[in-house]
Short mmCIF file of all heavy atoms in Angstrom, two decimals:
data_model
loop_
_atom_site.label_atom_id
_atom_site.label_comp_id
_atom_site.label_asym_id
_atom_site.label_seq_id
_atom_site.Cartn_x
_atom_site.Cartn_y
_atom_site.Cartn_z
N SER A 182 14.88 -43.77 0.74
CA SER A 182 15.72 -43.65 1.96
C SER A 182 15.38 -42.35 2.70
O SER A 182 16.26 -41.60 3.21
CB SER A 182 17.21 -43.68 1.61
OG SER A 182 17.56 -42.62 0.81
N ILE A 183 14.08 -42.05 2.72
CA ILE A 183 13.60 -40.83 3.46
C ILE A 183 12.62 -41.30 4.51
O ILE A 183 11.74 -42.11 4.29
CB ILE A 183 13.00 -39.81 2.48
CG1 ILE A 183 14.00 -39.20 1.55
CG2 ILE A 183 12.23 -38.75 3.24
CD1 ILE A 183 13.52 -38.32 0.46
N SER A 184 12.82 -40.71 5.73
CA SER A 184 11.88 -41.05 6.83
C SER A 184 11.37 -39.73 7.48
O SER A 184 11.98 -38.67 7.27
CB SER A 184 12.61 -41.88 7.95
OG SER A 184 13.21 -43.00 7.40
N LEU A 185 10.33 -39.82 8.16
CA LEU A 185 9.72 -38.63 8.83
C LEU A 185 9.86 -38.72 10.34
O LEU A 185 9.63 -39.78 10.96
CB LEU A 185 8.21 -38.55 8.48
CG LEU A 185 7.80 -38.09 7.15
CD1 LEU A 185 6.26 -38.05 7.07
CD2 LEU A 185 8.30 -36.69 6.84
N PHE A 186 10.20 -37.55 10.92
CA PHE A 186 10.36 -37.52 12.43
C PHE A 186 9.60 -36.30 12.92
O PHE A 186 9.59 -35.25 12.29
CB PHE A 186 11.80 -37.33 12.75
CG PHE A 186 12.74 -38.46 12.34
CD1 PHE A 186 13.29 -38.51 11.07
CD2 PHE A 186 12.93 -39.49 13.18
CE1 PHE A 186 14.06 -39.60 10.65
CE2 PHE A 186 13.76 -40.63 12.77
CZ PHE A 186 14.29 -40.61 11.48
N LEU A 187 8.98 -36.48 14.06
CA LEU A 187 8.44 -35.33 14.77
C LEU A 187 9.49 -34.77 15.76
O LEU A 187 9.82 -35.50 16.67
CB LEU A 187 7.16 -35.74 15.59
CG LEU A 187 6.44 -34.57 16.07
CD1 LEU A 187 5.61 -33.86 14.94
CD2 LEU A 187 5.43 -34.92 17.19
N VAL A 188 9.90 -33.55 15.49
CA VAL A 188 10.96 -32.92 16.24
C VAL A 188 10.44 -31.74 17.05
O VAL A 188 9.97 -30.83 16.43
CB VAL A 188 12.12 -32.55 15.34
CG1 VAL A 188 13.29 -31.93 16.15
CG2 VAL A 188 12.57 -33.65 14.44
N GLU A 189 10.46 -31.87 18.33
CA GLU A 189 10.00 -30.75 19.18
C GLU A 189 10.94 -29.53 19.15
O GLU A 189 12.18 -29.71 19.03
CB GLU A 189 9.85 -31.16 20.64
CG GLU A 189 8.69 -32.07 20.90
CD GLU A 189 8.44 -32.35 22.36
OE1 GLU A 189 8.48 -31.40 23.13
OE2 GLU A 189 8.21 -33.51 22.69
N ARG A 190 10.40 -28.34 19.18
CA ARG A 190 11.20 -27.16 19.20
C ARG A 190 12.10 -27.17 20.41
O ARG A 190 11.65 -27.42 21.55
CB ARG A 190 10.32 -25.97 19.16
CG ARG A 190 11.01 -24.71 18.88
CD ARG A 190 10.05 -23.49 18.98
NE ARG A 190 10.80 -22.36 18.40
CZ ARG A 190 10.52 -21.88 17.19
NH1 ARG A 190 9.54 -22.35 16.49
NH2 ARG A 190 11.22 -20.81 16.68
N SER A 191 13.33 -26.90 20.22
CA SER A 191 14.27 -26.81 21.36
C SER A 191 15.47 -25.97 20.91
O SER A 191 15.47 -25.47 19.73
CB SER A 191 14.74 -28.16 21.82
OG SER A 191 15.66 -28.72 20.88
N ARG A 192 16.50 -25.86 21.66
CA ARG A 192 17.60 -24.99 21.28
C ARG A 192 18.43 -25.48 20.13
O ARG A 192 19.14 -24.71 19.55
CB ARG A 192 18.56 -24.80 22.52
CG ARG A 192 18.14 -23.59 23.33
CD ARG A 192 19.01 -23.38 24.57
NE ARG A 192 19.00 -24.53 25.37
CZ ARG A 192 19.73 -24.65 26.47
NH1 ARG A 192 20.59 -23.71 26.84
NH2 ARG A 192 19.63 -25.74 27.27
N CYS A 193 18.17 -26.78 19.72
CA CYS A 193 18.90 -27.22 18.46
C CYS A 193 18.27 -26.72 17.21
O CYS A 193 18.81 -26.90 16.17
CB CYS A 193 18.92 -28.77 18.48
SG CYS A 193 17.25 -29.48 18.10
N ILE A 194 17.18 -25.94 17.36
CA ILE A 194 16.48 -25.44 16.13
C ILE A 194 16.64 -23.93 16.08
O ILE A 194 16.35 -23.23 16.98
CB ILE A 194 15.01 -25.84 16.19
CG1 ILE A 194 14.90 -27.43 16.08
CG2 ILE A 194 14.25 -25.22 15.07
CD1 ILE A 194 13.47 -27.88 16.22
N GLU A 195 17.07 -23.47 14.85
CA GLU A 195 17.17 -22.08 14.62
C GLU A 195 16.18 -21.62 13.51
O GLU A 195 16.20 -22.31 12.46
CB GLU A 195 18.62 -21.72 14.05
CG GLU A 195 19.70 -21.55 14.98
CD GLU A 195 20.96 -21.38 14.17
OE1 GLU A 195 21.21 -20.30 13.59
OE2 GLU A 195 21.74 -22.35 14.14
N THR A 196 15.42 -20.60 13.75
CA THR A 196 14.47 -20.18 12.67
C THR A 196 14.76 -18.75 12.27
O THR A 196 15.12 -17.89 13.15
CB THR A 196 12.98 -20.26 13.15
OG1 THR A 196 12.81 -19.42 14.27
CG2 THR A 196 12.64 -21.73 13.60
N SER A 197 14.60 -18.44 11.03
CA SER A 197 14.71 -17.05 10.62
C SER A 197 13.58 -16.82 9.60
O SER A 197 13.34 -17.61 8.69
CB SER A 197 16.08 -16.68 10.03
OG SER A 197 16.72 -17.83 9.52
N PRO A 198 13.01 -15.57 9.68
CA PRO A 198 11.89 -15.24 8.79
C PRO A 198 12.31 -15.09 7.34
O PRO A 198 13.40 -14.66 7.09
CB PRO A 198 11.38 -13.91 9.35
CG PRO A 198 12.48 -13.33 10.14
CD PRO A 198 13.34 -14.48 10.58
N ILE A 199 11.34 -15.40 6.41
CA ILE A 199 11.57 -15.11 5.02
C ILE A 199 10.48 -14.17 4.55
O ILE A 199 9.32 -14.45 4.79
CB ILE A 199 11.51 -16.42 4.16
CG1 ILE A 199 12.52 -17.49 4.69
CG2 ILE A 199 11.77 -16.14 2.74
CD1 ILE A 199 12.41 -18.86 3.99
N LYS A 200 10.89 -13.12 3.87
CA LYS A 200 9.90 -12.16 3.39
C LYS A 200 9.35 -12.74 2.06
O LYS A 200 10.07 -13.13 1.17
CB LYS A 200 10.51 -10.83 3.10
CG LYS A 200 10.71 -10.06 4.38
CD LYS A 200 11.07 -8.57 3.99
CE LYS A 200 11.27 -7.75 5.25
NZ LYS A 200 11.80 -6.46 4.92
#
Side-chain angles (χ1 to χ4, degrees):
S182 62
I183 290 174
S184 307
L185 282 182
F186 297 88
L187 190 74
V188 183
E189 284 189 45
R190 195 183 190 106
S191 72
R192 269 180 301 176
C193 71
I194 295 175
E195 275 175 73
T196 62
S197 29
I199 304 176
K200 282 192 179 170

